[in-house]
Amino acid sequence: VVEEDHLKNELFPIFEDLSKDDQDSVRVLAVEAGIILVSLLRDDPTKLNAIKPIMKELAADRSWRSRYMIAERIVEIQEAFKDKFTDKETAEIY
């Protein structure tokens, strides 16, 4: 449990860094963290729009593990984004 400001200003930048880490095992774990962040920041369009490209990058990652994790969690991703992520966008990353 953290305050929303702490989540946006301190934890979100850490998530961004982890999603671009050199180790694929770290990027795989970033997928789950991204899903959680989306569900917590759903009402903040600025942060939500910042998470979308990160999730799309993970879907096109050079590591098959990251791509697999996105495919494995596609339903959770869609549920977290709700109407903020179109069916077309979901199909593209899948």
Side-chain angles (χ1 to χ4, degrees), residues 15-64:
F15 164 71
E16 287 180 302
D17 291 340
L18 292 176
S19 70
K20 294 173 177 66
D21 195 86
D22 291 336
Q23 297 292 319
D24 66 341
S25 59
V26 174
R27 294 190 310 272
V28 166
L29 295 173
V31 172
E32 187 172 348
I35 294 168
I36 293 168
L37 281 174
V38 167
S39 63
L40 294 173
L41 298 173
R42 190 175 299 133
D43 297 328
D44 184 347
T46 304
K47 293 295 181 192
L48 200 60
N49 287 333
I51 295 175
K52 269 187 182 183
I54 293 171
M55 298 301 273
K56 289 179 181 181
E57 285 176 25
L58 288 168
D61 196 81
R62 64 184 179 273
S63 168
W64 69 269

Side-chain angles (χ1 to χ4, degrees), residues 51-94:
I51 295 175
K52 269 187 182 183
I54 293 171
M55 298 301 273
K56 289 179 181 181
E57 285 176 25
L58 288 168
D61 196 81
R62 64 184 179 273
S63 168
W64 69 269
R65 290 181 180 105
S66 297
R67 296 189 311 265
Y68 176 82
M69 184 58 74
I70 289 285
E72 181 77 16
R73 300 290 183 102
I74 194 72
V75 172
E76 292 174 49
I77 293 168
Q78 180 64 33
E79 288 172 351
F81 275 100
K82 294 206 182 223
D83 59 341
K84 310 289 194 267
F85 211 72
T86 66
D87 290 339
K88 182 180 177 188
E89 288 174 307
T90 303
E92 286 174 0
I93 67 167
Y94 188 68

